[in-house]
Amino acid sequence: AQLSNSQEFDTDREWSGAGNLTMPLHLFGENGELKFGGKVRLRKKDVNPYRESYDLSGTGDTLANFEGHGPFTYYDGLYAIGFEPNGVQLKKAFASIIGVRGPLNHNGFYRDDENVYAGYAQYATKFGALSVLAGVRVEATDAVYRGYIKGGPQNGQLGANNSSYINAFPTVQLRYEFRPNLIGRATY
């Protein structure tokens, strides 16, 4: 009989902070307002899966030895879920291997660092019934993604993929109030 189990020892750590500032600034139109701010997010994520497989063929045990009470069914006997495990027998079988961790499962392992830095500036004003908002958000990502390489000459080695990029997201929003119950909007 074979028994198998898997465990994962994962961590996901994130540190972040943000700051924003709004101030009146009458460059154009009426009631002009300038906003700007920034945000930082630093993240580290580790996934460490382990797999264990135990061969009980030399012990004389079969899986029937680990069968507890049951069988159990739900929904008026229409859904059989089987037997519960026999905890006493499982403890006896695993008594000699408690605390032993199996090998790392390279297929599921990864260790990533992903840091995102962002800032924005926007200006809003009004010209009578027309409201205008224009701004830009800039986001920079600096990341390292690590995992085990599968196939090729580096098979089984820990590899890293560095990724750094900057994106800008400009916007212009127009809002025109034709009447109190009729508003037109346009956005880029």
Side-chain angles (χ1 to χ4, degrees), residues 65-118:
N65 295 13
F66 302 104
E67 191 174 278
H69 299 295
F72 295 101
T73 59
Y74 286 104
Y75 305 112
D76 293 324
L78 298 175
Y79 184 68
I81 62 166
F83 293 84
E84 71 179 21
N86 183 327
V88 173
Q89 286 299 107
L90 286 169
K91 284 180 185 177
K92 285 181 188 176
F94 290 118
S96 64
I97 55 173
I98 296 297
V100 175
R101 183 185 295 170
L104 178 67
N105 178 356
H106 288 179
N107 292 331
F109 168 90
Y110 63 89
R111 180 165 291 141
D112 298 341
D113 298 333
E114 188 178 68
N115 302 324
V116 179
Y117 310 92

Side-chain angles (χ1 to χ4, degrees), residues 1-3 54-66 89-97:
Q2 284 264 322
L3 292 177
Y54 306 103
D55 186 1
L56 302 175
S57 58
T59 65
D61 283 324
T62 67
L63 290 179
N65 295 13
F66 302 104
Q89 286 299 107
L90 286 169
K91 284 180 185 177
K92 285 181 188 176
F94 290 118
S96 64
I97 55 173

Side-chain angles (χ1 to χ4, degrees), residues 107 148-157:
N107 292 331
Y148 283 94
I149 298 169
K150 191 170 185 177
Q154 294 180 319
N155 187 44
Q157 295 179 18

